[in-house]
Amino acid sequence: MITRPLDLASKLRPEPRNFDFLFLVNGGLIVLFFTLFGSPFVLAPGLGMNFKMPEMRGAGQGAVATTDVISIKQGGVIVTESGNITLPQLRDWLKVRAKASKHPLLLVRAHAQMPLEDIAEIQAAAKEAGYAGIVLGAEEPSAVRGGR
């Protein structure tokens, strides 16, 4: 045959067997393990679904851009951009972050059921670290529920 003078196709190894089913089994096992042993924090650690900030009319009116954000969940868990930390670790974290900015501002997003004593302690630590201002986060009341 003129178009294939060396007949290279006959000298090649045969095609391998089809193992596509193994990819499906592997994907199924991954889904099974995430279903059985999963947690809301496995894929993306964060605040979870039950985090509720306090509601206040006009909360969006006083909004300012801040340099740092911390979130405080129930139980005193403090979430920063570098992960979960404790209050003593927060004091060190605040000092480092305050030095990194010329005019540092801190946004504190606290759970609605958070004791005021804990929030005041964190605000005092931020002032001690050198923050120029601390903003306590709140949300506008939901129009669906009628607000307050």
Side-chain angles (χ1 to χ4, degrees):
M1 186 174 233
I2 296 176
T3 58
R4 297 187 184 161
L6 300 177
D7 194 26
L8 294 176
S10 67
K11 294 174 177 60
L12 294 175
R13 282 186 276 143
E15 291 184 25
R17 294 187 344 210
N18 188 354
F19 289 111
D20 285 344
F21 71 93
L22 285 178
F23 296 111
L24 295 175
V25 170
N26 192 17
L29 287 175
I30 289 172
V31 169
L32 176 71
F33 284 126
F34 272 109
T35 303
L36 293 177
F37 305 112
S39 154
F41 303 107
V42 169
L43 296 176
L47 298 177
M49 297 303 293
N50 59 354
F51 186 81
K52 182 178 178 339
M53 289 178 47
E55 293 182 353
M56 182 176 70
R57 286 188 190 266
Q61 309 265 327
V64 294
T66 58
T67 56
D68 299 304
V69 178
I70 63 169
S71 301
I72 311 164
K73 299 193 301 186
Q74 282 182 315
V77 177
I78 302 168
V79 181
T80 66
E81 61 190 30
S82 54
N84 294 351
I85 58 176
T86 62
L87 186 58
Q89 292 172 331
L90 177 67
R91 292 181 193 280
D92 296 333
W93 185 85
L94 288 171
K95 288 177 185 172
V96 170
R97 297 294 297 185
K99 290 178 184 174
S101 179
K102 187 189 289 188
H103 186 71
L105 292 172
L106 178 67
L107 171 62
V108 178
R109 299 183 334 170
H111 190 277
Q113 303 299 322
M114 202 59 202
L116 188 58
E117 180 182 349
D118 294 347
I119 296 170
E121 187 175 350
I122 290 170
Q123 286 182 330
K127 280 289 187 191
E128 181 183 306
Y131 276 86
I134 295 105
V135 179
L136 186 59
E139 293 179 337
E140 289 283 340
S142 174
V144 174
R145 293 184 297 142
R148 286 186 200 135

